[in-house]
Amino acid sequence: MDLNWPPCPRPLLGVCTLLSLATAALLAHVLLHDFAVVPRELRDFSQVPKEMYQARQQGASGPGPQPGPGIAPTQCDVPPNSRFDCAPDKAITREQCEARGCCYMPARWRPRGSQMGQPWCFFPPSYPSYKLGNLTTTETGYTATLTRDTPTFFPKDILTLQLDVLVETQSRLHFTIRDPSSKRYEVPLETPRVRSRAPSTLYSVEFSEEPFGVVVRRKPDGRVVLNTTVAPLFFADQFLQLSTSLPSPYITGLAEHLGPLMLSTNWTKITLWNRDIAPTSDVNLYGSHPFYLVLEDGGLAHGVFLLNSNAMDVVLQPSPALSWRSTGGILDVYVLLGPEPKSVVRQYLDIVGYPFMPPYWGLGFHLCRWGYSSTAITRQVVENMTRAHFPLDVQWNDLDYMDARRDFTFNTDGFGDFPAMVQELHRGGRRYVMIVDPAISSAGPPGSYRPYDEGLRRGVFITNETGQPLIGKVWPGPTAFPDFTNPEALDWWQDMVSEFHAQVPFDGMWIDMNEPSNFVKGSVDGCPNSDLENPPYVPGVVGGTLRAATICASSHQLLSTHYNLHNLYGLTEALASHRALVKARGTRPFVISRSTFAGHGRYAGHWTGDVWSSWEQLSSSVPEILLFNLLGVPLVGADVCGFLGNTSEELCVRWTQLGAFYPFMRNHNDLHSLPQEPYRFSDSAQRAMRDALALRYALLPYLYTLFHRAHAGGETVARPLFLEFPEDPHTWTVDRQLLWGEALLITPVLEPGKVEVTGYFPAGTWYNLQVVPVGTFGSLPPPPPAPFKSAIHSEGQWVMLPAPLDTINLHLRAGRIIPLQGPGLTTTESRRQPMALAVALTGSGEARGELFWDDGESLGVLECGAYTQVVFLARNNTVVNELLHVTSEGAGLQLRRVTILGVAAAPQQVVSNGVPVSNFTYSPDTQTLAVPVSLVMGEQFVISWS
């Protein structure tokens, strides 16, 4: 997904159909007459909730008057779970409800565990909606006109709409609903375009004439995945609503929120409006991703993406059903048919873009604290980490380095030798990242601060209603906000980054406060009284207004108003920073951002913001990491040990053990909290943390290979169990464990005082990685002490695992091979270490794995072929490698040990490339064979045992 500057109307792309152009007239007749109420096949289709169908049928029967404003409805026998809210904008009385033409039935109680409760005022089945007409078949799908005779209770209804349905690929349907008479704001992201309909599809599309609706069914069983006839369509200037039934209550997505991976359909509202707020349940957080994925019976799944960046609510209800409520733009909907969850994720990323490939060093351990107030203190931290033998790849600084908290400056009191410190880090094989906020200080006299002076001169700032830069307040005081939708602002930002990099050779950018955050409401001068500031529908935003903790919705950016563009602010800054780093450094960029939108992973990673040092937030970090991987942002992590408040030793150990398996691992905490660097704790706690970090560094070649697969193939890095085992419904709600790729299952301890942990193990054999030598590649470690098991042979079951404070449970899935490397104190060091393979055999003695390797930071390695890619295969008591692509980068990696798990009997002989190996070791207790070798990854080898 590319950002498109400036935007232009997207031409129709293309949609799929089952009928040829020659049958268009007949098709229109069938669609407009046989499906007048609901598509014909829905009438006896069991997947649609019976109560929903009955409600719709009641609305269709009888000659009673169509309700509308001022007419009380006569048919209100709608089951409670299928009631759609007729008062989304405010609480209203019975009289006001009936004046809207709606039904009023107070609920006696709120369902237990629900956030909202069922609506008291709800639409009758016959509430007027749009009517479909002029349905025409096109080269790419269909087009039609939608007309509404009766206005709704929202101002400025658009009574005539255009529907375009594009059958884009075998698994992707795309439809848009627009105002044909007036150009409305559309999200300025370039998405795939097709010129003809897909010749065959996994779905069929049907239409209801009146009330208008789109129904999408999965082939061949006819399961309905989308049915928008369940509630009336709204399309007013500042209120758009589209509802659909869901085939299952197992739904995930709709980030960013704090809570379980699976959302509750028990009357839940999710608000998308990017906001600076410490993660809390049931509030709008830093990012907006209007995409959901639903798990269906039989291991199938589908996804829906609404490409809309306006403030919105998404309401889930128990029927189950979902309603999108947006405050502007158009309805631009993608339906993705999978058929399994992995394919849904890839199809979503086909639209928004595959993740960027991070530099190898970005996967090491990062350390930061707000409060490293000088280069001397920062240097001491690095020295302490080295002395305590903790890996450290990237040292960070928070606001402390700045002069008066202004971007692209450093203070001469504590950071006078800032450039020298960064150069020292580089000489030690480390990297450096510092915080950069988008808001630019406007307080100084002209000529005193180049970023503001240049920005003014080049017209890069967001403006108020008078055309002057809007002034808010952030860390440096009065500030202006760059408009990253303006190409001139991208060039200005690039210049500022390059000029500062010429002084301080930093390696990456930490972009914070980019919702954008503002310490005053709107601006220092307030905001005008307008429809944009006070829209007729305000989603459930914290603070009750769109300007709370951010800038005025009515402020002006090049492409549109901030009202439309607010949720894109972090994404556009991430793109600008990604671009600027490429220019300044000429190597792979590294950007970590707080605010995100769909497609963010193409340019940057994400950290989960100002989390508390609490067991609850440790636990909730797991579903958040999993969710962002599903959304194409695999480089994600929470602040290890927590940011706000004081951690405890036990919490910090357990968080470090889990954090070792965040794709992005950084320990960071607040100025007002006790320091929490690993060396601050007791010897036993330090040992446990050191072991966790050694595990991470040993596994980095595997992690890097996963990132390559994400970047090149749209896969996930950390993934929920349901992604690998969708046919096992027990996996669907598991969100206290995570997988790395398809091979490693991590089962962390997430509660205090526990020395055991329960984890779900899908069917198959899972080998305890404790039987593999990780820290060194010497002989086999002793068998794990009882009650540890060397392998779990699961039929799909929950297993209690021992988990003393020094242990994180890590299991390797049978049938997989992973590369390992000797750990070091930096990736510069570890990348020079010899390698090993862990081979986990299935019952039939087979396994497979892969290694991707390059120089770790160059741009365009795939395009110019500067990489090595090797596949490892085990079968028939043999391990071999297949060289897919070999260059000098990676060809010489030394392989020193192969550990084979699941060898049932002691071998009599082991041979490596035809040469007998005499010093192999075998453990009958763990059925593990360890083979020392002296091989090269980039040359073919054969290891066999008999």
Side-chain angles (χ1 to χ4, degrees), residues 62 115 273 337 356 463 687 692 747 759 945:
Q115 183 198 80
W273 180 251
L337 270 291
F356 83 107
T463 56
R687 277 195 302 275
T747 307
W945 61 97

Side-chain angles (χ1 to χ4, degrees), residues 556-575:
H556 298 282
Q557 299 185 233
L558 179 77
L559 292 191
S560 189
T561 59
H562 193 71
Y563 179 89
N564 291 324
L565 295 167
H566 170 86
N567 281 345
L568 300 180
Y569 196 83
L571 173 63
T572 56
E573 191 198 9
L575 180 147

Side-chain angles (χ1 to χ4, degrees), residues 314-334:
V314 188
V315 176
L316 297 168
Q317 63 191 71
S319 43
L322 175 147
S323 295
W324 302 97
R325 296 178 188 159
S326 176
T327 57
I330 67 164
L331 294 173
D332 189 347
V333 180
Y334 292 85

Side-chain angles (χ1 to χ4, degrees), residues 22 25 99 142 164 170 185 276 301 347 350 387 395 418 491 529 541 548 692 826 869 903 932 946:
Y142 312 101
D164 293 298
Q170 181 186 37
Y185 164 76
D276 173 3
Q347 289 152 14
D350 284 339
R387 191 180 295 140
Q395 182 60 49
F418 191 23
D491 292 341
N529 184 11
V541 296
T826 64
Q869 193 167 10
V903 179
S946 60

